[in-house]
């Protein structure tokens, strides 16, 4: 039983990170309409909120957070990432969120210390 608890504190749980990302985006952006002048503030706030909540988990990870906000106007967006890491300990989570006027894509990478 102790091994299970110890392992749980050292594992990047994608479902847990997914909830953190969604909560941060909904709290910061919610039903706001897209405004170019606020995008910088929103992206900064989303990644900061994610990192604050992730650090509260107390897990031995370094985190990398990325946030993209794009106005819904019919334009395309292609994004990709790749990592050279330890597949047994490191992980990532990407969430695509949208409202009536914008798309938000947040990626969190967790790298075991």
């Amino acid at each position: 039983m102790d091994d299970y608890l110890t392992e749980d504190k050292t594992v990047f749980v994608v479902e847990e990170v997914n909830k953190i990302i969604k909560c941060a985006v909904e709290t910061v952006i919610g039903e706001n309409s897209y405004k170019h002048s606020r995008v910088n503030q929103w992206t900064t706030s989303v990644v900061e909120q994610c990192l604050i909540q992730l650090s509260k988990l107390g897990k031995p990870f370094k985190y990398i957070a990325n946030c993209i906000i794009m106005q819904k106007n019919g334009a395309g967006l292609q994004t990709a990432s790749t990592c050279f890491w330890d597949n047994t300990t490191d992980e990532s989570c990407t969430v695509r969120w949208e409202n009536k006027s914008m798309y938000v894509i947040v990626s969190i990478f967790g790298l075991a210390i």
Side-chain angles (χ1 to χ4, degrees):
M1 181 80 169
D2 289 338
D3 289 340
Y4 173 76
L5 293 175
T6 303
E7 183 178 308
D8 191 43
K9 292 187 180 229
T10 61
V11 174
F12 184 98
V13 181
V14 173
E15 295 80 13
E16 188 175 43
V17 177
N18 190 299
K19 288 179 188 176
I20 288 171
I21 294 170
K22 286 181 179 177
C23 183
V25 173
E26 289 171 5
T27 299
V28 172
I29 298 172
E31 291 302 316
N32 283 307
S33 293
Y34 181 88
K35 289 188 176 116
H36 178 73
S37 62
R38 298 199 58 202
V39 170
N40 191 40
Q41 175 189 356
W42 286 335
T43 55
T44 300
S45 295
V46 167
V47 295
E48 285 177 353
Q49 285 301 311
C50 288
L51 292 176
I52 287 168
Q53 295 307 312
L54 288 166
S55 67
K56 287 181 180 178
L57 297 175
K59 295 188 177 188
F61 286 93
K62 289 184 179 183
Y63 296 104
I64 300 167
N66 181 42
C67 179
I68 299 168
I69 296 178
M70 180 178 160
Q71 183 178 15
K72 280 188 178 179
N73 62 5
L77 173 67
Q78 183 85 17
T79 182
S81 62
T82 186
C83 301
F84 182 73
W85 60 17
D86 184 344
N87 289 325
T88 61
T89 57
D90 304 336
E91 188 64 71
S92 68
C93 177
T94 298
V95 173
R96 179 179 170 255
W97 181 95
E98 65 182 276
N99 66 14
K100 292 180 181 180
S101 65
M102 69 184 104
Y103 296 106
V104 180
I105 301 169
V106 179
S107 296
I108 302 288
F109 300 88
L111 305 150
I113 297 174

